[in-house]
Amino acid sequence: MLITHDTRCALDTVVDLVNTAPEDEPASDGLADVAALENFVRSHKMSDVGVLSEFDLSAVRRIRGRFAGIFAAADPRTAAGMINELVAAAGTTPRLTDHDGYDWHVHYFAPGASVADHLAADCGMALAFFVVAGEQERLRRCEAPDCRRAFVDLSRNRSRRYCDSRTCGNRLHVAAYRARRKESAG
């Protein structure tokens, strides 16, 4: 599956957005306030975003939950319906642009769109490409029992199981190894 630079950026953004949601405690919300949202926007180099407010924060938190639902969708039809609703509500307006030193690419958000509509349109379309390509199963959650972080499996054989093989994957492999050693020793 060919993934363009702007689609990859949108995928990284939507994964990071979903992963800002608190796991068990509201205190762990990665978008706790407007300053955190501003940092998120800056770190993802989102263009055409104006001054952010509490209203923007609330709207982004709402679409974050809708994106989380797409990652949990049981089948492509369910994911497609959720993506269609999200993108349609954002007032999608595809347009070609070549800003900030990037070659021509497509933005799906309307000029002057809110940050929530910007995310819904661009990230929703990036996820839509996966459904269209028959690759919805690549939108996953980490299989580590103590981690449910979202990720997009871009491995060639669709075999990635953990959000990060160096942390979750390695931790589980080491635990399994130690359990086997303990069992064989005792």
Side-chain angles (χ1 to χ4, degrees), residues 5-66:
H5 172 75
D6 51 314
T7 300
R8 180 59 193 256
C9 289
L11 290 171
D12 291 344
T13 300
V14 72
V15 164
D16 289 348
L17 177 64
V18 169
N19 289 335
T20 65
E23 289 294 322
D24 296 324
E25 301 175 26
S28 67
D29 192 332
L31 294 178
D33 53 29
V34 175
L37 178 59
E38 289 169 344
N39 187 46
F40 182 88
V41 166
R42 189 174 32 263
S43 69
H44 288 87
K45 299 179 182 167
M46 294 174 60
S47 61
D48 296 334
V49 175
V51 176
L52 299 173
S53 67
E54 287 290 332
F55 177 82
D56 293 308
L57 178 62
S58 178
V60 168
R61 284 178 177 162
R62 275 193 306 277
I63 66 153
R64 174 180 67 184
R66 295 179 75 186

Side-chain angles (χ1 to χ4, degrees), residues 13-166:
T13 300
V14 72
V15 164
D16 289 348
L17 177 64
V18 169
N19 289 335
T20 65
E23 289 294 322
D24 296 324
E25 301 175 26
S28 67
D29 192 332
L31 294 178
D33 53 29
V34 175
L37 178 59
E38 289 169 344
N39 187 46
F40 182 88
V41 166
R42 189 174 32 263
S43 69
H44 288 87
K45 299 179 182 167
M46 294 174 60
S47 61
D48 296 334
V49 175
V51 176
L52 299 173
S53 67
E54 287 290 332
F55 177 82
D56 293 308
L57 178 62
S58 178
V60 168
R61 284 178 177 162
R62 275 193 306 277
I63 66 153
R64 174 180 67 184
R66 295 179 75 186
F67 277 126
I70 295 166
F71 276 83
D75 57 71
R77 183 166 306 285
T78 302
M82 296 168 90
I83 292 167
N84 284 340
E85 288 175 12
L86 195 62
V87 170
T92 309
T93 306
R95 63 188 170 100
L96 287 169
T97 183
D98 67 341
H99 63 88
D100 299 329
Y102 293 107
D103 286 334
W104 289 105
H105 59 283
V106 179
H107 280 188
Y108 295 95
F109 60 92
S114 71
V115 67
D117 285 346
H118 180 137
L119 288 164
D122 272 4
C123 296
M125 289 304 299
L127 297 178
F129 295 142
F130 275 77
V131 174
V132 168
E135 302 284 353
Q136 182 254 338
E137 74 276 359
R138 289 182 182 267
L139 309 177
R140 298 194 175 158
R141 292 291 191 154
C142 184
E143 291 183 18
D146 59 340
C147 179
R148 297 298 302 150
R149 292 179 60 84
F151 68 94
V152 178
D153 179 4
L154 297 177
S155 67
R156 194 173 280 185
N157 62 358
R158 299 176 187 91
S159 62
R160 187 170 160 197
R161 297 174 47 206
Y162 307 110
C163 64
D164 187 344
S165 61
R166 289 169 289 169

